[in-house]
């Protein structure tokens, strides 16, 4: 009977030492390049790891959890598409949690880290409560948060700069001659809702436009809720000439309502979304949207978590992903372009910002 692959044959195929193979297969801290070589060689040779024996010996499960509000939201799917291959290359499986943005469910997920069913977690909370902060501080495994948390929170953190993103969008609408620019936001007790509401007021002030509460409608971050919010706004205010929507799903709901009301986009009302999801390019008309780098935030979060799993001693890191404005037909019939903002705040043409 032919002998199956061993750590010796894996070491020979990977071009590393037997000790390095042993460290990787037992889940011990190892350089990522070595992990990738060993895992690739093991897969090529058909090596089947005994996961139960390995986890008992090393106290590693080689599983990572990803907890997000809504698994159907395309922004989270963009994150997932980047997180998965990064973790897979390092030998980790991904466990998904769709919490519905229910705080109690998110707290339960954080508490379950004590059961050691995963080695770490990437979390995207819409709300960050005192209970979140307490659980993050006491977490029994490394956690990376995608989204803003208070300074001093002892976790690695990947942030979007939605304030700059909103300013890019409002500046764009203003440059097109729009002056009655309304905001259709999600709940303001959420991190993105609060940030986008504040940024809208700041952007208007920078342009010398008055803030009018009649031009602000609060809904939720879903297409149907966005449509209802836009309908309520149009029933109240008749001269809106632009909509700044807090995400693409709200913006798609806005397009539905405007179409049903006989409003032309962008001639009568220009529409901008946020997140630049796949749906933005596929909508009709195609949707101008602010990219908040969902895919990049997912990739960076996965890399930060892997670094933390190898070396848990370094200080928590904060990474901010810059936004860029992707211009499509919902604001201008001109050929699509991308606009960003450089580090000194100037608008730039091209693929993104530095």
């Amino acid at each position: 009977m032919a002998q199956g692959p061993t750590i010796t044959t894996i070491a020979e195929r990977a071009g590393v030492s037997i000790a390095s193979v042993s460290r990787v297969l037992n889940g011990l801290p190892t350089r990522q390049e070595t992990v990738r070589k060993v895992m690739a060689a093991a897969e090529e040779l058909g090596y089947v790891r005994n996961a139960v024996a390995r986890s008992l010996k090393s106290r590693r499960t080689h599983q990572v959890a990803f907890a997000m509000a809504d698994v159907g939201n395309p922004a989270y799917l963009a994150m997932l598409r980047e997180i998965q291959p990064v973790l897979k290359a390092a030998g980790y499986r991904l466990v998904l949690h769709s919490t519905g943005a229910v705080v109690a469910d998110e707290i339960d997920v954080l508490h379950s880290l004590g059961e050691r069913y995963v080695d770490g977690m990437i979390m995207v909370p819409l709300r960050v409560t005192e209970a979140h902060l307490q659980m993050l501080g006491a977490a029994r495994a490394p956690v990376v948060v995608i989204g803003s948390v208070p300074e001093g929170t002892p976790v690695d953190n990947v942030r979007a700069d939605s304030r700059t993103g909103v300013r890019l969008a409002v500046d764009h609408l203003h440059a097109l001659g729009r002056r009655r620019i309304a905001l259709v936001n999600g709940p303001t007790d959420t991190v993105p809702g609060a940030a986008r509401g504040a940024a809208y007021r700041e952007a208007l002030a920078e342009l010398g436009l008055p803030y009018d509460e009649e031009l602000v409608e609060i809904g939720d971050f879903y297409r149907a809720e966005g449509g209802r919010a836009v309908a309520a706004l149009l029933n109240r205010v008749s001269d809106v000439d632009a909509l700044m929507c807090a995400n693409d799903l709200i913006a798609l709901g806005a397009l539905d309502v405007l179409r049903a009301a006989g409003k032309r986009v962008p001639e009568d009302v220009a529409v901008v979304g946020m997140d630049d999801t796949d749906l933005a390019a596929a909508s009709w008309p195609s949707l101008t949207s602010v990219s908040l780098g969902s895919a990049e935030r997912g990739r960076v979060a996965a890399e930060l978590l892997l670094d933390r799993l190898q070396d848990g001693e370094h200080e928590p890191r904060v990474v901010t992903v810059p936004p860029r404005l992707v211009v499509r037909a919902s604001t201008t019939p001109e050929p699509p372009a991308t606009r960003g903002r450089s580090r000194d705040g100037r608008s730039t043409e091209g693929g993104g910002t530095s």
Side-chain angles (χ1 to χ4, degrees):
M1 181 179 296
Q3 183 181 8
T6 65
I7 62 172
T8 300
T9 56
I10 293 171
E12 292 172 351
R13 177 65 63 91
V16 300
S17 69
I18 293 174
S20 293
V21 174
S22 178
R23 289 179 66 83
V24 171
L25 298 181
N26 283 308
L28 298 174
T30 313
R31 292 177 58 244
Q32 281 305 303
E33 182 61 26
T34 302
V35 172
R36 293 189 182 95
K37 289 180 179 179
V38 170
M39 297 307 297
E43 186 172 347
E44 290 174 11
L45 294 170
Y47 179 78
V48 179
R49 294 168 292 168
N50 186 328
V52 174
R54 184 191 62 198
S55 65
L56 286 173
K57 183 176 180 180
S58 68
R59 299 185 62 80
R60 289 288 184 97
T61 67
H62 275 259
Q63 296 190 147
V64 166
F66 178 41
M68 83 300 288
D70 176 14
V71 73
N73 186 312
Y76 298 134
L77 293 177
M79 293 179 188
L80 178 61
R81 284 197 292 267
E82 292 296 317
I83 292 171
Q84 171 81 6
V86 172
L87 294 178
K88 183 178 180 181
Y92 286 88
R93 295 181 296 271
L94 197 58
V95 178
L96 300 182
H97 293 284
S98 187
T99 66
V102 176
V103 170
D105 287 355
E106 292 173 350
I107 299 304
D108 283 346
V109 168
L110 287 169
H111 179 73
S112 69
L113 290 174
E115 300 172 5
R116 302 297 301 176
Y117 76 104
V118 292
D119 297 329
M121 177 179 292
I122 299 170
M123 172 172 270
V124 196
L126 282 183
R127 295 170 178 85
V128 177
T129 66
E130 186 60 35
H132 281 95
L133 298 178
Q134 290 176 5
M135 291 302 299
L136 288 170
R140 300 289 298 276
V143 179
V144 177
V145 173
I146 300 178
S148 295
V149 293
E151 297 297 329
T153 304
V155 295
D156 295 311
N157 181 209
V158 185
R159 302 179 177 184
D161 184 0
S162 59
R163 289 195 175 215
T164 297
V166 170
R167 289 198 298 272
L168 287 172
V170 174
D171 287 352
H172 170 63
L173 292 169
H174 184 267
L176 294 172
R178 311 293 170 147
R179 295 298 181 267
R180 297 289 282 169
I181 304 170
L183 172 68
V184 188
N185 203 357
T188 55
D189 66 338
T190 64
V191 172
R196 291 164 204 188
Y200 168 75
R201 296 187 70 144
E202 292 168 2
L204 293 180
E206 288 177 5
L207 294 168
L209 297 177
Y211 174 78
D212 183 351
E213 288 186 357
E214 291 294 299
L215 290 177
V216 178
E217 189 68 32
I218 307 301
D220 209 338
F221 296 110
Y222 300 96
R223 184 170 187 162
E225 289 294 323
R228 282 190 280 271
V230 171
L233 174 69
L234 296 179
N235 285 335
R236 186 174 67 248
V237 185
S238 61
D239 62 344
V240 171
D241 62 9
L243 295 175
M244 172 68 243
C245 299
N247 75 354
D248 284 352
L249 294 178
I250 292 175
L252 293 175
L255 293 178
D256 295 338
V257 169
L258 292 168
R259 190 179 301 113
K263 299 280 189 180
R264 298 172 301 161
V265 177
E267 292 84 355
D268 299 325
V269 182
V271 180
V272 178
M274 292 196 81
D275 287 330
D276 192 35
T277 61
D278 292 344
L279 296 176
S283 70
W284 183 258
S286 59
L287 179 65
T288 293
S289 185
V290 178
S291 171
L292 296 175
S294 295
E296 184 178 355
R297 284 184 286 151
R299 176 185 57 77
V300 171
E303 291 172 349
L304 288 177
L305 183 59
L306 290 176
D307 287 347
R308 180 65 60 183
L309 287 169
Q310 289 187 41
D311 176 13
E313 300 303 319
H314 58 256
E315 289 295 312
R317 286 177 286 182
V318 177
V319 178
T320 300
V321 175
R324 59 192 178 93
L325 178 67
V326 182
V327 179
R328 299 191 180 95
S330 68
T331 58
T332 174
E334 297 175 357
T338 31
R339 293 186 178 91
R341 179 162 294 186
S342 62
R343 290 186 184 275
D344 61 3
R346 296 173 301 171
S347 293
T348 60
E349 298 289 335
T353 55
S354 60

